[in-house]
Amino acid sequence: MPDKSYKIAVIPGDGIGPEVTSSAVKVLKAVSEKFGFELNFSEYKAGGCAIDEFGIPLPEATLEGCKSSDAVLLGAVGGPKWDKVDAKIRPEKALLGLRAGLGLYSNLRPALLFEELASASPLKNVSNIDILIVRELTGGIYFGEHGRYDSSELLSDGSSKGTVAFDTESYSVAEIERIVREGFRYAMGRSKKLTLVDKANVLESSRLWREVAEKISSEYPEVALDYLYVDNCSMQLINRPETFDVIVTSNMFGDILSDEAGMITGSIGMLPSASLGAPGTPGMYEPVHGSAPDIAGTGKANPLATILSAAMLLRWSLDETEAADLVEEAVKKTLKDGFRTVDIASGDSDTVLGTEEITAKVLERI
Ligand code: NAD
């Protein structure tokens, strides 16, 4: 009987979600057997399938099941079938409910270029891209005060302003401290380089981020901290992506930059992510892509983003580092040996496989 045992909540979701989570669960089972720890999986519904069955996207049982687990593995939610449901119960509400309910304030989005897939990058002559974007997930402008009002003020051309809409960016020292500290912690485990991305030339909230980061940097003297304005960062990610290591930033800047960084590494089918809360609470792991309704049920979905999300789960929630390394190595070897799903296939020498077949290749390499 293994002496280590973990509870994993699995939310397959909609579209290709069940196909890719099934692959990741097989991989998790294989490494748990190899390294002698036990994984107990429980499946829960969220998203469109939960709307169909329960009339709401996030049933209480799902949230409670996730809360009482060590980690959550999620496929994807949503699809055209639920596009017209009431905005209050849209499938995506399940994600917001899970983030809020589990207190997930930190979003990790690695952008790693697999050398074998370099030709899929829209950039020429790229190599050695390995960036970790640490995005604050529960504060900032997405959660600040929003509103509209009517204004009788005039613009310089004499026209009346009319209706005004506003969204407020606000951050507290405590919110900045906990996410910036995460950034330093990840940088310590990597190349010891941290870039804080902000707009401190214009925004007061960004100036507070800098003050807090400067203060915390004294606790991590080995980490080289630098600052970049977000507009410059978006250029430098294209110009010199290989020079970045860990980027820490606010909710909105992280949202935009992580998509940009993901794109330069090639296919959306390769991008994993993690959302984490306070130490000791369950993290949630999911591919960056959506439910891909256009290919759901065809057996063509690339499961590697979800398998790499499972590797993050092993690393960050279970502290099973060797198992995480092995999963990542197995994915790399699978690509090196020329196996591809259709979304990442390019050359004639590639062997194009379906979801289950490429999962089998990863399993053979574990
Ligand atoms: P999408 O990521 O589902 O698909 C975009 C394109 O990428 C499609 O052509 C799809 O076939 C392809 N693709 C995505 N994942 C793939 C994979 N693993 N293998 C091969 N090809 C893949 O984005 P979308 O089409 O904008 O959204 C579809 C649905 O997913 C919508 O309902 C959207 O709201 C939802 N969505 C959910 C999440 C989530 O659950 N976290 C994230 C994004 C979108």
Side-chain angles (χ1 to χ4, degrees), residues 16 20 74-79 83 92 95 268-269 286-295 300-302 343:
I16 62 168
V20 293
L74 183 133
V77 297
D83 275 353
E92 298 76 26
L95 300 176
I268 191 159
E286 57 181 314
V288 166
H289 61 72
S291 61
D294 52 334
I295 56 163
K300 288 185 188 159
N302 182 348
D343 57 309

Side-chain angles (χ1 to χ4, degrees), residues 28 30 59 72 102 110 113 116 139 149 164-165 168 174 226 239 266 312 326:
L28 283 169
V72 181
L102 298 173
L113 180 77
E116 296 74 19
Y149 63 92
V164 179
T168 317
D226 68 349
N239 185 37
M312 294 184 84
L326 183 61

Side-chain angles (χ1 to χ4, degrees), residues 323-336:
D325 288 345
L326 183 61
V327 173
E328 287 169 358
E329 265 321 298
V331 169
K332 271 187 208 151
K333 279 195 196 133
T334 301
L335 296 173
K336 199 164 192 266

Side-chain angles (χ1 to χ4, degrees), residues 99 225 246 278 287 351:
R99 282 179 197 165
L225 171 68
V246 181
T351 309

